[in-house]
Amino acid sequence: MPGYVAAVGIVRNWLNDIDTLTGPGNPIALGAHRRHPRSPGHGAYVLLSRIGRAGDLVAEDLIDSPRISASIYAGTDEAAELAAVAYANAVIALSGSPSVIGDSRCLIADEVVGPLLVDNHDSEREQWQYLVDASFYIY
């Protein structure tokens, strides 16, 4: 019986494998990471973290339901917003049918919140940040 999964790595790998979203010339040019890149350069990137767990989908099966927060950073508001919208739309697209992501299956991605603008002007990080949170049901 499956239980908890290493969801941040699964979601990071899934996002980095979408060649229409990540890589040069795409909305999330610098890809998804677990921690801030040392020299982010030009383009947006996503920082992923697990922020909890949603309720069980069904009582009989152990399906992990990690709540994943995506912090999207870029040097301009427009680039950060475009990257956040692209990420949110990719997550919403997982709701149509079960999807293989890496060695796991995502039954559904739900409870998407965002993109939400974060006022990041008082930090030394990129000035523009958006948040998109979602629950993934993975086994």
Side-chain angles (χ1 to χ4, degrees), residues 14-15 18-23 25-31 83 86-87 89-91:
W14 161 75
L15 184 59
I18 303 174
D19 59 9
T20 57
L21 288 182
T22 59
N26 290 315
I28 307 170
L30 303 177
Y87 173 75
N89 284 332
V91 171

Side-chain angles (χ1 to χ4, degrees), residues 49-121:
S49 58
R50 185 176 185 140
I51 58 170
R53 187 172 186 271
D56 290 328
L57 195 58
V58 293
E60 294 80 20
D61 294 326
L62 287 176
I63 298 171
D64 199 3
S65 54
R67 185 117 180 107
I68 302 292
S69 183
S71 296
I72 296 95
Y73 295 91
T76 67
D77 180 33
E78 182 178 12
E81 182 182 25
L82 288 172
V85 167
Y87 173 75
N89 284 332
V91 171
I92 289 169
L94 289 172
S95 296
S97 63
S99 303
V100 174
I101 54 176
D103 293 333
S104 301
R105 290 184 64 82
C106 181
L107 292 178
I108 190 169
D110 198 13
E111 300 169 331
V112 177
V113 176
L116 304 169
L117 176 64
V118 175
D119 183 357
N120 215 17
H121 288 83

